[in-house]
Amino acid sequence: MATFLYRLGRLAFRRRRVVVMLWVAVLAAIGIGAMTAPGTSSGALSVPGTQSQRAIDLLRKEFPQASADGATARVVFEAPSGQKLTSAANRAEVESLVARLEKSPQVSGVTDPFASGLVSRSGTIAYAQVSYKVAQADVGAAAHAVQTDVVAQGEKAGLQVSLGGNAVENKTTSKAAELIGVGVAAVVLVITFGSMIAAGLPLLTAILGVAAAVLSVTLATHFFDLASSSTTLALMLGLAVAIDYALFIVSRYRNEIRDGHEPEEACGRAVGTAGSAVVFAGLTVIVALSGLSVIGIGMLTSMGLASAFAVTVAVIIALTLLPAVLGFAGLRIMNGTLHTRRMKALERGEGESMGVRWAKFVTRNPVKVLAVSVAGLALLAIPTMSLKMALNDDSGKPPGSTQRIAYDTLSKGFGPGFNGPLTVVVDARDSDDPKAAAQDAYTMLGKLDDVAAVRPPSFNQAGDVALLGAVPKSAPTSEATKDLVGEIRDHGAALHQDTGADLMVTGLTAVNIDVSTKLSDALIPYLAIVVGLALILLLLVFRSIVIPLKAALGFLLSVVSTLGVLVAVFQWGWLKDVFGVDQTGPIVSLLPIVLIGVVFGLAMDYEVFLVSRMREEYVHGAEPTQAVVQGFRHSGRVVTAAAVIMVSVFSGFLLDDEALIKSIGLGLAAAVFFDAFVVRMTIVPAVMALLGHRSWTLPKWLDRVLPDVDVEGEKLRHALEAEQPDSAPEPVLAGVAATGHAGSDDHGAPRAVTGVRSSDDTETQAPAQKADPTQPQAPARRKLLKNPLRRS
């Protein structure tokens, strides 16, 4: 693979104009197609095989007017202080607003609060239930405008009107997180490279790659029904990995330039070595994200596949467009005018970087470092044993939002259960007496302790399917409501035995409970599939049993410690004021699964980037401990920069007002921090120092079976050395110019590592430039470009 990527890198470098034009044409074509695409869907949860989904399918058939899978809204009215809604003036105003809602576009029905008994005992609070014919994302602007008008009209009359439910338009999400992430990425890249050009290339190619991926996902809606969250996750991950991959290749390219290679040769070697690591790092991310499809929830499947596609695009961009852009940058990428004095000294080989000093400290004290690191992560993981999961509802909306006000007002007037009513379906098509079966179900529901109210049965046109309503006393996300749903379903077995009718519970609350249960049950199988496939990939990359096992165990430590932090903050309330969490509750069910998929991919990125350079040094003859230190010397700075960028991007979501977004931001930021700095940068070198040569051993029978993918470029190096054994390039020291051929676009041999100046700058001319017959001259280095690995 390294040889193929070497050729690809050199080809893209030479044909840079053609490559860039092809990518521009592809982007234009995708953009034109995306402009006519229908767009993503609501991402409404569909959970095949669950009781709630079977009930929805039956209602869609037998009660089409009920719009079982349509969006819903609750319009909550509260009388002015000292007044009641039952007064003539207030009642007339509420009825006028309800009539306005009934005429709204896409509405299938509205319940009148006075006719349906939806007025609190105090007479101060009432609500109207609005059902729409379409799903959440398909509720149009005209319908949302009516909701806004109703609120404004009611408040003008002195009423407090608030809106809840999934049909309500959410506040526009703040772009602060994305802006902060890009800003921090730019700063970190400039600090890492000390060059505006070198810092700008990863950002440029990442933005182009993300644009191509997001437009492609939008284009795919011509053929597939994709959740709206698919684009969001694809954007976030695509940007993250694209910057990482470009950062790694650009860093290797600059190292090759410093070693004295001409730009085209340096680009080929960078893509051949670092590009191999990028390919396998990308494959692990793709495996992790594609594995979301095994859970069986359509929204997660579309999120995973869309994000996996975005990562695929990022890999292709890094291997083709980035080398082409490097061709335009040439030696200008070495301009280090922003380097500090210490950075310039390090590039001259004077002193040691912080990463090298840290690696030496860890390898000198592996047992102590390993014990402290593992103990710390284990301590953080303790709260995970109390993990409770549920899907979010309006109780998690920001304080002051219309959804949160509606939720709190309903709870005050009727009880928290009115925010999550249950829909009970009695399928009596196989019963001898459907009406008696429905009545038995109604009586049973009324006797349950946690039921606050029961709506009498209503039948379909055939009279053999009944629809009932039950309102719990407890909140939708509480354990009591979950237990109530289970209790009702248990009674359904007795009902079937007595009457032959089937009883099913559905509605948004029941669907959320079923989804949470399915996600909980899928955690272990998903982990097994993703980790198993990734272990195989890492086995191919590193040709070692220990390295993949260590990578997987380290990832599990990162995940459980991150879940512990989430439980402590969002469930127990520790440090909740610091993070701006106003209400504690269960962790959102989707978060652990998404966290595992995303963080596993990023963790394996860091593992491949760091350890592949260690393996390269080991294969080239370094001792195990020396290989670890050299791996940090070359890749530690890059991995640190990538991790700082990711932590900053994800931490930006903590600025959002919504608890769900905060939990996602904290979870991803904590996971990347733990995995990059504690696991990959601390536990990994400690374990490898303890195991020594055993880290790289592989049973002989397995060594014969596994294909050699040559991720470290050993075959490539031997091929290049065999072709030109006497023409190894001269290392170019800082401030020392080297003679060389000036190719097209003035891409000659490098003149200096840092502070590159024009060839006529006398300050950069060194006495060592005099001809030395014992040293290979520039023509020999140029000959290196003409080797059999280069295809014409």
Side-chain angles (χ1 to χ4, degrees):
M1 174 178 288
T3 302
F4 168 76
L5 294 178
Y6 169 83
R7 293 168 177 162
L8 179 63
R10 294 189 58 156
L11 177 65
F13 188 99
R14 288 197 307 273
R15 305 288 185 237
R16 45 190 170 273
R17 292 181 176 82
V18 175
V19 173
V20 170
M21 289 174 62
L22 285 175
W23 271 108
V24 170
V26 168
L27 273 173
I30 297 173
I32 293 171
M35 290 174 62
T36 61
T40 53
S41 72
S42 65
L45 290 174
S46 174
V47 196
T50 61
Q51 188 184 103
S52 56
Q53 188 63 46
R54 292 199 305 272
I56 288 174
D57 295 339
L58 179 61
L59 289 175
R60 191 183 294 119
K61 176 182 177 182
E62 300 295 339
F63 289 87
Q65 72 281 4
S67 301
D69 54 352
T72 59
R74 289 181 298 279
V75 184
V76 183
F77 308 96
E78 186 172 11
S81 178
Q83 300 183 29
K84 293 187 176 183
L85 291 175
T86 51
S87 67
N90 288 335
R91 176 166 183 162
E93 183 63 31
V94 170
E95 289 176 340
S96 171
L97 296 176
V98 170
R100 177 77 177 89
L101 289 168
E102 288 175 341
K103 297 177 182 178
S104 174
Q106 302 176 313
V107 166
S108 63
V110 181
T111 56
D112 187 306
F114 299 104
S116 304
L118 303 179
V119 182
S120 67
R121 292 180 181 178
S122 63
T124 59
I125 298 172
Y127 73 95
Q129 187 80 10
V130 185
S131 300
Y132 290 84
K133 302 174 183 177
V134 295
Q136 175 185 347
D138 298 324
V139 177
H144 288 308
V146 171
Q147 295 173 0
T148 304
D149 291 344
V150 165
V151 172
Q153 182 181 335
E155 291 180 345
K156 187 176 180 180
L159 302 177
Q160 179 177 316
V161 183
S162 51
L163 305 172
N166 62 359
V168 180
E169 188 173 24
N170 288 315
K171 179 189 71 174
T172 303
T173 304
S174 171
K175 298 299 181 183
E178 289 85 344
L179 294 176
I180 289 173
V182 173
V184 171
V187 172
V188 172
L189 289 170
V190 169
I191 293 174
T192 301
F193 291 126
S195 163
M196 296 297 293
I197 296 177
L201 291 185
L203 284 176
L204 174 63
T205 55
I207 290 171
L208 291 175
V210 166
V214 171
L215 289 174
S216 298
V217 171
T218 305
L219 179 62
T221 59
H222 274 299
F223 315 101
F224 308 102
D225 184 22
L226 300 178
S228 55
S229 50
S230 303
T231 304
T232 304
L233 189 61
L235 172 63
M236 180 178 67
L237 278 183
L239 185 64
V241 299
I243 292 175
D244 281 3
Y245 299 161
L247 174 63
F248 197 56
I249 291 178
V250 169
S251 177
R252 188 59 181 259
Y253 172 74
R254 284 162 58 91
N255 286 341
E256 297 293 341
I257 290 287
R258 292 191 190 99
D259 288 341
H261 297 290
E262 292 190 19
E264 183 180 333
E265 175 69 11
C267 183
R269 288 173 178 254
V271 176
T273 52
S276 298
V278 165
V279 169
F280 281 93
L283 282 175
T284 58
V285 183
I286 292 167
V287 166
L289 294 172
S290 300
L292 290 172
S293 58
V294 305
I295 297 170
I297 297 178
M299 183 180 72
L300 278 179
T301 299
S302 63
M303 287 171 62
L305 294 180
S307 302
F309 177 77
V311 174
T312 303
V313 172
V315 172
I316 297 173
I317 286 274
L319 300 179
T320 55
L321 181 60
L322 180 60
V325 177
L326 288 175
F328 287 107
L331 289 175
R332 290 186 292 274
I333 202 172
M334 301 301 295
N335 289 343
T337 56
L338 300 177
H339 274 321
T340 64
R341 183 178 299 177
R342 173 172 171 75
M343 293 171 67
K344 292 178 180 178
L346 288 174
E347 291 193 346
R348 291 194 302 267
E350 301 172 4
E352 292 181 338
S353 66
M354 185 179 298
V356 172
R357 294 201 302 271
W358 174 251
K360 289 183 176 179
F361 169 77
V362 172
T363 53
R364 282 197 303 265
N365 307 278
V367 176
K368 294 178 182 178
V369 169
L370 184 61
V372 171
S373 301
V374 172
L377 291 180
L379 188 64
L380 290 172
I382 290 175
T384 306
M385 294 185 289
S386 301
L387 175 66
K388 294 180 181 178
M389 295 191 297
L391 287 183
N392 59 309
D393 59 8
D394 286 347
S395 65
K397 297 295 182 181
S401 64
T402 186
Q403 295 99 322
R404 181 65 175 272
I405 294 172
Y407 184 95
D408 294 339
T409 305
L410 265 184
S411 298
K412 180 175 69 174
F414 299 91
F418 276 78
N419 286 288
L422 303 175
T423 300
V424 181
V425 180
V426 178
D427 181 5
R429 289 176 295 181
D430 295 331
S431 175
D432 296 333
D433 192 347
K435 293 188 181 300
Q439 186 61 40
D440 287 348
Y442 177 75
T443 303
M444 177 269 295
L445 291 171
K447 293 179 179 180
L448 298 178
D449 293 336
D450 197 39
V451 172
V454 183
R455 188 180 70 232
S458 57
F459 287 87
N460 64 338
Q461 189 172 1
D464 53 8
V465 178
L467 185 62
L468 300 87
V471 178
K473 293 179 181 178
S474 48
T477 58
S478 67
E479 283 294 315
T481 300
K482 182 178 179 180
D483 294 339
L484 174 63
V485 171
E487 187 177 1
I488 295 173
R489 288 171 172 172
D490 291 340
H491 282 290
L495 182 70
H496 178 77
Q497 186 175 357
D498 294 340
T499 65
D502 292 324
L503 182 146
M504 296 177 285
V505 184
T506 189
L508 184 59
T509 300
V511 169
N512 287 350
I513 290 171
D514 287 345
V515 170
S516 298
T517 302
K518 186 159 189 173
L519 288 171
S520 299
D521 294 341
L523 269 175
I524 302 302
Y526 175 64
L527 267 175
I529 291 173
V530 169
V531 173
L533 290 175
L535 284 176
I536 295 173
L537 281 175
L538 293 177
L539 185 65
L540 289 172
V541 173
F542 298 120
R543 306 188 71 78
S544 163
I545 298 292
V546 172
I547 301 297
L549 289 175
K550 170 183 56 62
L553 292 174
F555 158 73
L556 293 176
L557 267 177
S558 300
V559 167
V560 294
S561 57
T562 301
L563 291 176
V565 170
L566 290 175
V567 170
V569 174
F570 291 94
Q571 195 172 302
W572 292 357
W574 293 5
L575 300 176
K576 67 176 185 177
D577 294 334
V578 174
F579 294 104
V581 179
D582 68 292
Q583 182 174 331
T584 59
I587 304 301
V588 179
S589 303
L590 293 174
L591 183 53
I593 284 282
V594 174
L595 185 73
I596 288 171
V598 172
V599 175
F600 184 81
L602 294 176
M604 294 305 106
D605 274 3
Y606 302 142
E607 177 78 12
V608 171
F609 290 163
L610 191 61
V611 181
S612 64
R613 194 59 191 256
M614 295 178 189
R615 174 170 171 78
E616 183 176 343
E617 297 294 332
Y618 180 78
V619 169
H620 292 171
E623 289 298 314
T625 301
Q626 183 185 3
V628 170
V629 174
Q630 290 300 318
F632 270 78
R633 185 185 305 277
H634 295 293
S635 298
R637 187 180 185 88
V638 177
V639 171
T640 300
V644 169
I645 290 171
M646 292 303 99
V647 171
S648 302
V649 169
F650 296 141
S651 296
F653 290 100
L654 288 169
L655 301 176
D656 200 281
D657 294 329
E658 194 165 337
L660 171 62
I661 305 300
K662 285 180 181 290
S663 64
I664 292 173
L666 179 61
L668 291 174
V672 171
F673 178 84
F674 293 150
D675 199 273
F677 295 111
V678 181
V679 175
R680 308 302 154 192
M681 306 283 282
T682 305
I683 293 179
V684 166
V687 171
M688 296 182 70
L690 284 172
L691 294 178
H693 290 285
R694 288 170 293 180
S695 297
W696 307 106
T697 56
L698 187 69
K700 291 183 178 180
W701 65 268
L702 188 57
D703 186 43
R704 290 192 297 268
V705 172
L706 290 179
D708 188 356
V709 295
D710 191 28
V711 71
E712 70 281 347
E714 179 68 4
K715 292 179 179 178
L716 172 63
R717 187 175 72 91
H718 285 315
L720 294 173
E721 289 178 352
E723 171 62 18
Q724 295 293 339
D726 299 322
S727 60
E730 277 182 79
V732 181
L733 300 179
V736 179
T739 59
H741 170 67
S744 62
D745 294 338
D746 193 30
H747 297 346
R751 290 182 292 269
V753 172
T754 59
V756 176
R757 306 187 185 185
S758 61
S759 58
D760 59 353
D761 190 339
T762 57
E763 290 184 11
T764 63
Q765 302 303 313
Q769 293 252 314
K770 295 180 180 180
D772 183 350
T774 65
Q775 296 295 328
Q777 300 302 309
R781 286 202 301 275
R782 290 199 305 272
K783 188 176 180 181
L784 180 62
L785 298 175
K786 300 177 181 179
N787 62 68
L789 295 172
R790 172 178 175 177
R791 290 178 175 174
S792 57

